[in-house]
Amino acid sequence: MNALDYFNARLQGTISPMDYLRSKQMDTEKYFLIDVRNGPIHLRSLTIKDANVIPEQELQNRLNEIPKGKEIIVYCWDVWCNTAAKVAKVLLEQGYNVKELTGGIASWQEMNFPVSKSTQDDNISDNCGC
């Protein structure tokens, strides 16, 4: 793979927080945003505003909650976390149109974009799966 192919593939598979926010404002029904982070609930107490919380560990049992007709945006913790990439791969194999939000929730918060308290009450493992 040459550099041009790499960057084209990278741009095809990701969306920046700025591009997502701008596109979401232009077409509020286009996207389905998923917080796929695993780990302790107290560390996941904040989520991106309007995100659907479906931890990677619950994904297989909750595929029916994810609409096939929307562009799916997945995110996890930060650039060092690969959980969103793992989820994106699974969803792509299931026929979904998926992109990863670059930088995860860390970059979102760094830009002071809107977050909300997570209302999820779960019993998933404390292991992040990264």
Side-chain angles (χ1 to χ4, degrees):
M1 173 183 290
N2 65 36
L4 180 59
D5 291 340
Y6 166 78
F7 285 110
N8 280 331
R10 183 174 168 203
L11 289 170
Q12 183 179 356
T14 62
I15 189 167
S16 74
M18 294 81 56
D19 288 342
Y20 170 75
L21 198 56
R22 183 174 39 251
S23 295
K24 175 80 172 167
Q25 289 170 344
M26 291 173 31
D27 185 353
T28 58
E29 297 301 315
K30 181 177 180 178
Y31 299 102
F32 188 81
L33 179 66
I34 309 175
D35 180 338
V36 299
R37 295 176 296 157
N38 296 317
I41 191 71
H42 70 278
L43 294 177
R44 296 182 291 118
S45 63
L46 287 180
T47 190
I48 292 175
K49 188 174 186 313
D50 299 325
N52 298 276
V53 178
I54 304 176
E56 182 260 347
Q57 295 173 349
E58 298 177 5
L59 182 68
Q60 290 297 330
N61 295 327
R62 297 180 62 190
L63 285 173
N64 62 324
E65 297 175 35
I66 304 170
K68 286 243 177 164
K70 294 191 177 197
E71 188 169 328
I72 310 304
I73 308 298
V74 295
Y75 73 89
C76 54
W77 297 100
D78 202 337
V79 295
W80 47 262
C81 183
N82 66 1
T83 302
K86 292 175 189 176
V87 169
K89 179 182 178 296
V90 169
L91 292 175
L92 286 165
E93 291 169 345
Q94 296 290 322
Y96 290 90
N97 179 15
V98 184
K99 287 188 177 184
E100 180 181 5
L101 186 72
T102 55
I105 195 167
S107 64
W108 188 270
Q109 289 179 285
E110 185 68 26
M111 293 179 220
N112 293 315
F113 288 165
V115 295
S116 61
K117 290 278 188 187
S118 177
T119 58
Q120 184 171 11
D121 180 27
D122 64 10
N123 295 312
I124 67 170
S125 167
D126 283 353
N127 182 359
C128 83
C130 296

